Amino acid sequence: MSSWKSYVIISGGLTFDEQILDDIIQNDTASNSGFEMRKIRSNVRPRYAHTCHVIEDTLILIGGVDYSDSPPGICFINLNTFEATEFEMPVSFLIEF
């Protein structure tokens, strides 16, 4: 969860039946108009247990978990247009236990 302008931004997540989400949900705290779900126009990997940060008008999603063999990478989402660019995390950065 992050904040941007007068919005609270929630990204990704896990549903009660363990479906991984790629949704972006925003709530305008200034108007208290409730939650508005926004779909990203690009192919962003669904994820949960990630971090998200806002810098100026960009939402940055880092890492997380999905059901694939490699974790989600880093995603940059323009909060004005909801255009997204995703980069894979280099496997050499992963730690094996």
Side-chain angles (χ1 to χ4, degrees), residues 49-82:
H50 58 284
T51 64
C52 61
H53 313 273
V54 174
I55 298 176
E56 295 181 0
D57 293 334
T58 303
L59 176 65
I60 304 169
L61 308 178
I62 302 173
V65 177
D66 66 7
Y67 295 134
S68 69
D69 291 335
S70 62
I74 300 172
C75 182
F76 297 89
I77 302 168
N78 182 312
L79 290 170
N80 293 308
T81 65
F82 281 82

Side-chain angles (χ1 to χ4, degrees), residues 2-74:
S2 295
S3 63
W4 172 66
K5 298 183 180 179
S6 65
Y7 295 95
V8 173
I9 307 291
I10 302 170
S11 63
L14 192 64
T15 66
F16 69 93
D17 60 348
E18 297 186 358
Q19 297 296 313
I20 303 173
L21 302 173
D22 64 351
D23 300 324
I24 302 294
I25 300 170
Q26 62 183 21
N27 180 27
D28 188 351
T29 59
S31 68
N32 200 18
S33 60
F35 290 94
E36 175 186 349
M37 186 175 281
R38 301 286 303 264
K39 289 300 284 183
I40 302 167
R41 297 183 189 160
S42 195
N43 188 19
V44 174
R45 286 178 63 177
R47 66 188 74 207
Y48 69 98
H50 58 284
T51 64
C52 61
H53 313 273
V54 174
I55 298 176
E56 295 181 0
D57 293 334
T58 303
L59 176 65
I60 304 169
L61 308 178
I62 302 173
V65 177
D66 66 7
Y67 295 134
S68 69
D69 291 335
S70 62
I74 300 172

